[in-house]
Amino acid sequence: MLETYRTIGGTASEIAAGVEAAVSEGRLAPGALLPPVREMAALARVSPNTAAAAYRLLRERGIVETAGRRGTRVRPRPASTAREDIRIEAPPGVRDLSKGNPDPVLLPPLHEALAAAAHAHQERPAMYGMGDDEELLALAGARLRGDGVPAAPLAISSGTLDAVERVLNAYLRPGDAVAVEDPGWAALLDLVAALGLRPVPMRLDDDGPLPDELGKALRAGARAVVITARAQNPTGAAVTAERAAALRAELAPHPEVLLVEDDHGDGFVDVPLHPLAGATSRWILVRSTAKAFGPDLRLALITGDPVTLDRLRGRQRLAAGWVSHLLQRAVAHLWRTGAVDTAAVAASYAERRDGLVAALAARGVPAHGRTGLNVWVPVPDEAAAISHLLARGWAAAPGARNRLATPPALRLTVSPLRPEDIPSLADELAATVHPPARGRYG
């Protein structure tokens, strides 16, 4: 119950704000059981309708969840606590493979692109009411059409999550179900919780979400689906042509479902895109530049059906308004000049990623990492595996950041790895998965 928290407030908003503050400050722990509505009403000296409204607000904010006879509890991962807070602080001397960052050596120099953007700004300063950069839109459209994405309107956002949040807000309401990959992107899982949406997990393999899992989610009432096209975080899955066809077949009877496709792998993976775009009447495909050009160059190109793009742009106008034209022009310059050799960058990541997966396989340890920056290694116990690795000079990310219902695992980002590091790292990972048997007495 509320042993360490005294209910305060006379309105639903005040009661909800008090509970949310108690969760943020640690006075109500994840999993803590809240009183039934009538008991909460008596404690707060309000009507049961007011207490029920307070609980509804808390559910919508992703702070609590109601599970039938189990009652109303603080969520295991409240929206006020990001999954990225489940992290390992690597002490000095420990090689940190937990961050998910690209290799700085493989990022393009930005001084020419920024100088060109600044020069263009001098020639034609960006002002209120100015549209998105026409060159960037033209380049993005040509690249998307070249990858088989249907010709459709374009928009620009401040990264993938910015676009996804605006579109989910435009179509869904708290309590609606969203099909998400499991394991999946931690920031997306946080966003779903913060919006008060209900995640429906879809298991996946190296070729993307399993079609029967998507079908089950749709039959369970999912109103939106989020799928990663390539370099899936954390498993490295990439949707193949055969898998795309199977996923389209599952989506076909549900044209009203919002389809969100994440293609942040553009520019640093060398497998082709097999888009699902257009499989439903409401869809977007988001292409981020953060991994190829650097996380601080936070910009994403979005294409989608006209209604969805209009809703996205309308909500953008009411908030940030637009994405910096300096960034837009810099990205246009980088694309126009071919600043990133995608094949060379992809080969560099593949050497490390494939090398680690192969070394683990040789030691009897299954791992996943078809594309992208990460390798996903199932383990019996995340905490024990992380402690073992830390003691031997390695830091890995706990899979709990990314999991809903799938078993324990570690995520290792290969960007900091050198080829000569792989055998010793694989040995230590094998020791966490297959620890030596203890001796017996008698």
Side-chain angles (χ1 to χ4, degrees):
M1 296 292 192
L2 301 181
E3 297 93 342
T4 59
Y5 168 69
R6 184 173 62 85
T7 305
I8 58 173
T11 68
S13 294
E14 290 171 349
I15 294 170
V19 173
E20 184 172 1
V23 171
S24 296
E25 295 164 7
R27 290 180 285 127
L28 281 175
L33 179 66
L34 300 187
V37 168
R38 290 189 177 279
E39 186 176 336
M40 172 62 88
L43 289 169
R45 299 181 180 179
V46 298
S47 72
N49 285 342
T50 299
Y55 278 17
R56 184 169 61 250
L57 287 172
L58 289 166
R59 285 194 299 272
E60 290 174 355
R61 295 173 189 171
I63 304 300
V64 304
E65 58 189 4
T66 300
R69 293 180 179 179
R70 293 184 61 245
T72 298
R73 296 178 179 271
V74 177
R75 290 174 58 94
R77 297 300 310 157
S80 55
T81 305
R83 285 172 173 262
E84 289 299 320
D85 288 347
I86 311 174
R87 63 180 183 270
I88 301 301
E89 296 295 342
V94 169
R95 299 285 299 281
D96 193 349
L97 309 181
S98 70
K99 300 300 186 187
N101 283 312
D103 185 347
V105 173
L106 299 178
L107 299 178
L110 299 181
H111 56 279
E112 287 186 8
L114 293 173
H119 179 75
H121 178 77
Q122 291 296 113
E123 295 283 323
R124 186 177 177 228
M127 296 293 179
Y128 292 111
M130 185 173 178
D132 288 327
D133 186 75
E134 293 181 3
E135 181 188 17
L136 179 59
L137 293 176
L139 289 167
R143 292 167 67 94
L144 288 163
R145 287 191 297 274
D147 284 335
V149 180
L154 292 163
I156 300 171
S157 71
S158 297
T160 297
L161 208 63
D162 179 43
V164 174
E165 178 179 12
R166 296 182 194 284
V167 170
L168 292 181
N169 261 323
Y171 279 100
L172 306 185
R173 296 295 177 264
D176 286 344
V178 181
V180 295
E181 296 159 339
D182 183 20
W185 183 24
L188 173 67
L189 300 181
D190 277 339
L191 175 64
V192 167
L195 295 178
L197 304 174
R198 178 167 56 90
V200 180
M202 300 182 294
R203 291 181 299 119
L204 63 158
D205 62 15
D206 290 343
D207 296 339
L210 298 170
D212 62 334
E213 291 280 299
L214 172 59
K216 283 193 296 185
L218 293 169
R219 291 189 294 274
R223 295 195 57 212
V225 176
V226 184
I227 290 177
T228 309
R230 303 179 282 187
Q232 197 265 356
N233 184 356
T235 69
V239 175
T240 62
E242 294 76 13
R243 181 59 52 83
L247 294 173
R248 281 178 167 273
E250 295 290 345
L251 288 164
H254 303 273
E256 76 288 352
V257 167
L258 172 66
L259 171 64
V260 177
E261 203 166 359
D262 173 6
D263 186 34
H264 73 275
D266 179 63
F268 71 100
V269 297
D270 57 357
V271 299
L273 176 69
H274 298 290
L276 303 176
T280 63
S281 59
R282 298 289 175 256
W283 63 275
I284 63 166
L285 184 146
V286 186
R287 178 166 279 184
S288 169
T289 61
K291 292 295 193 299
F293 296 157
D296 204 34
L297 207 60
R298 190 168 293 278
L299 184 149
L301 281 301
I302 310 106
T303 188
D305 70 272
V307 172
T308 302
L309 265 288
D310 279 348
R311 291 188 179 190
L312 186 153
R313 283 190 290 246
R315 288 172 178 268
Q316 186 180 45
R317 284 193 293 270
L318 294 173
W322 69 91
V323 176
S324 164
H325 288 80
L326 289 170
L327 288 182
Q328 293 188 43
R329 289 163 174 167
V331 170
H333 179 92
L334 292 167
W335 272 351
R336 184 178 68 251
T337 59
V340 171
D341 183 341
T342 300
V345 170
S348 180
Y349 286 130
E351 179 183 16
R352 292 171 260 189
R353 189 186 62 246
D354 295 350
L356 179 57
V357 171
L360 288 170
R363 291 159 174 79
V365 178
H368 303 274
R370 184 171 170 229
T371 59
L373 307 181
N374 301 306
V375 170
W376 183 251
V377 185
V379 296
D381 184 310
E382 289 181 13
I386 287 170
S387 296
H388 176 94
L389 290 174
L390 279 174
R392 286 154 181 81
W394 300 98
R401 288 181 181 176
N402 306 91
R403 297 187 293 107
L404 291 173
T406 47
L410 301 181
R411 190 197 72 179
L412 296 100
T413 301
V414 300
S415 305
L417 277 181
R418 300 183 299 265
E420 58 268 26
D421 298 326
I422 290 175
S424 60
L425 174 59
D427 286 340
E428 299 302 344
L429 283 164
T432 70
V433 176
H434 306 300
R438 295 183 179 180
R440 293 182 179 180
Y441 292 94

